[in-house]
Amino acid sequence: MLNDKRLLKCACMVSGKGIVCDVGTDHAYLPVYLVKNNLCKSAIASDIADGPLDAAKANIAKYGLSGSIETVKSDGLENICPDGISDVIIAGMGAETISDIIKNAQWLKKDINIILQPMTKTPFLRRWLYENGFEIIKEEAVCDNDFIYTVMNVKYSGYRINVSELFADTGMFDFSDKDSLSYARKQYTRIKAISDGIKKSGKTADTSALDEECIRIKSIADGESKVTVGMIYDEINRIAPFHTQDSWDNSGLLVGERETEVTSVLTALDITHEVIDEAIRKKANLIISHHPVIFHPLKKLSFKNPAVRLAANGISAICVHTPLDKAVNGINDIIADMLEREFRTGMTRCPIIPDEKNSPDGDGRIVTISGETLGAKAFAQRLKAMFGDIPVRYTGGSRPVKKVAVCSGSGGSLLSYVVKQDCDAYITGDVKHDVWLDAAANDISLFDCGHFYTEQISAEYLMRLLRTFAPGIRTEAAESSRDITEYIF
């Protein structure tokens, strides 16, 4: 009944939890297959044109499934009611069309299982997905005659990541199967041809990045790919340059050597003994943390010191502290994105203190709430839920909360800059008594959401970044990364 290998691969990624919507359906072949094989109870077959919809209706009637499959005329998902939909399949379209459909359906951000099969500009689609807070959970290649297609299982994560060109070109594949290796070889041939063409044309364009990518893809295709600590350091440096760290910080490769091959990775806010125990148990030989495992000079080597235990157990450590706070799409932008989803702030934002004039990166972020008007208490209650039912301390100003500054971690020292920016509210952690008094004196609502809770998101972000850079390496956020402070309410 269904002989199209692309669509069969799409069917394999359906969750089976609810209604499946097939956008741009082809004779409703896929919905019919899903319902008849009990991969979903019901489905929607949609298309923008009457002709394909008529063909779909005829095929649905042929198999006696008119009560289980609804046909809807719709431009993308415009006329689709999201109630009960668990899966959306968009197959056989160009990447730009797919991205437009997703962009115009905000409800796809609500735990919808998305299955995509682009026909053109696949690297563009991978970049677009991650830049807009979606992530590829699984990606599989399928060979059909002389063509190699890719099918992606995608979900919204809320973490916006600027992926590498290597990932944009090679994707989230498990390169242990032959179809995926064929895809990698095809990408190698394509990129090498671009590089060779530039060289032969006599243009002065630098092809070193293309050549380096060719080397990496060829090693993947030849089954000889390995990932080193230095390669992961360079990938982190690409999105959060270590040279931007504050003078008092100690970010970088703090334990281990660049040449060490990585077998498994844990990410965490802090490298504690519990995190090290978890790394040993899970055979992870690299931990990437936000806070530096070595902050002050060591005058004695003791196994009570986590850095010493790391070295003794052959575990490397990369720590990216203030560079990740400042970076575009880093921790403060993640919190700004959380505020945008919770309060409808719009995407216009700026740093509290930019690294350079008009720079999008720097200390903290400032956003403006456009969706609703809230007082300090109601805002604090929403923050409590937004960060995961956490304790929130606050002091309320007289102004409604509209213009909001945020600085992850311990940002009390930036209050004077927040005042100069005429903000109504400030979200940070580790607020000291004198900062509370200064906020009240300046009629600013101040919210202490905790150092841990405003920065633990770094572990999730770094995990997702590393999964794009090295899909074949097991990368997890440490389960033992927790707030060690206990509270009595």
Side-chain angles (χ1 to χ4, degrees), residues 41-110:
K41 291 183 179 180
S42 61
I44 297 170
S46 77
D47 203 281
I48 194 173
D50 290 326
L53 279 180
D54 290 341
K57 290 175 184 177
N59 201 37
I60 293 166
K62 174 183 175 182
Y63 288 96
L65 297 174
S66 298
S68 301
I69 303 174
E70 178 187 3
T71 57
V72 178
K73 185 175 181 179
S74 179
D75 184 357
L77 291 163
E78 184 178 335
N79 297 330
I80 303 299
C81 175
D83 294 348
I85 292 179
S86 59
D87 301 73
V88 169
I89 301 172
I90 311 174
M93 301 183 193
E96 290 167 328
T97 300
I98 292 173
S99 64
D100 284 341
I101 291 172
I102 296 173
K103 180 173 63 177
N104 293 326
Q106 290 297 305
W107 56 270
L108 289 178
K109 295 179 179 180
K110 296 181 179 179

Side-chain angles (χ1 to χ4, degrees), residues 65-333:
L65 297 174
S66 298
S68 301
I69 303 174
E70 178 187 3
T71 57
V72 178
K73 185 175 181 179
S74 179
D75 184 357
L77 291 163
E78 184 178 335
N79 297 330
I80 303 299
C81 175
D83 294 348
I85 292 179
S86 59
D87 301 73
V88 169
I89 301 172
I90 311 174
M93 301 183 193
E96 290 167 328
T97 300
I98 292 173
S99 64
D100 284 341
I101 291 172
I102 296 173
K103 180 173 63 177
N104 293 326
Q106 290 297 305
W107 56 270
L108 289 178
K109 295 179 179 180
K110 296 181 179 179
D111 198 31
I112 303 296
N113 187 54
I114 306 168
I115 301 163
L116 308 176
Q117 189 279 298
M119 299 296 282
T120 60
K121 297 186 178 180
T122 303
F124 165 87
L125 182 58
R126 294 191 186 104
R127 279 192 294 268
W128 186 92
L129 288 168
Y130 278 86
E131 287 169 1
N132 287 274
F134 294 86
E135 67 174 326
I136 300 172
I137 306 300
K138 179 171 64 174
E139 185 170 8
E140 295 184 4
V142 55
C143 293
D144 195 354
N145 297 320
D146 294 330
F147 296 97
I148 305 175
Y149 303 100
T150 176
V151 179
M152 306 172 186
N153 190 184
V154 173
K155 281 203 170 184
Y156 183 74
S157 72
Y159 291 84
R160 293 186 294 124
I161 296 173
N162 176 21
V163 299
S164 67
E165 287 302 311
L166 177 68
F167 179 77
D169 286 328
T170 57
M172 186 67 75
F173 291 106
D174 174 3
F175 287 104
S176 61
D177 73 275
K178 63 179 184 179
D179 284 358
S180 296
L181 285 175
S182 296
Y183 188 93
R185 294 186 184 105
K186 179 181 178 182
Q187 296 307 307
Y188 168 78
T189 301
R190 180 180 68 83
I191 295 166
K192 189 174 187 304
I194 294 171
S195 178
D196 290 346
I198 292 172
K199 292 170 184 174
K200 289 177 181 177
S201 70
K203 295 179 180 178
T204 58
D206 184 6
T207 62
S208 58
L210 290 172
D211 294 339
E212 177 63 27
E213 188 177 345
C214 281
I215 292 171
R216 285 286 311 277
I217 297 176
K218 189 175 188 304
S219 68
I220 291 170
D222 292 344
E224 299 172 352
S225 178
K226 75 173 185 176
V227 176
T228 65
V229 170
M231 291 163 67
I232 289 179
Y233 174 96
D234 292 342
E235 173 65 2
I236 295 172
N237 186 62
R238 182 182 65 82
I239 58 99
F242 287 101
H243 72 81
T244 65
Q245 66 181 287
D246 290 335
S247 58
W248 49 264
D249 193 13
N250 189 36
S251 291
L253 174 56
L254 303 190
V255 179
E257 306 297 332
R258 285 182 59 91
E259 297 76 19
T260 301
E261 183 174 357
V262 176
T263 57
S264 180
V265 182
L266 277 187
T267 63
L269 177 61
D270 300 283
I271 300 180
T272 61
H273 288 293
E274 290 78 10
V275 170
I276 295 172
D277 289 340
E278 184 177 345
I280 293 170
R281 187 170 67 252
K282 293 180 174 178
K283 296 181 172 55
N285 69 340
L286 172 62
I287 301 175
I288 304 170
S289 72
H290 184 51
H291 292 145
V293 69
I294 302 173
F295 200 73
H296 303 291
L298 298 181
K299 296 183 179 181
K300 175 185 176 182
L301 298 182
S302 166
F303 285 110
K304 292 181 179 180
N305 187 296
V308 176
R309 275 197 70 200
L310 288 171
N313 284 279
I315 302 172
S316 301
I318 298 173
C319 306
V320 54
H321 189 201
T322 53
L324 192 59
D325 289 332
K326 298 177 180 184
V328 172
N329 295 338
I331 295 177
N332 283 299
D333 268 328

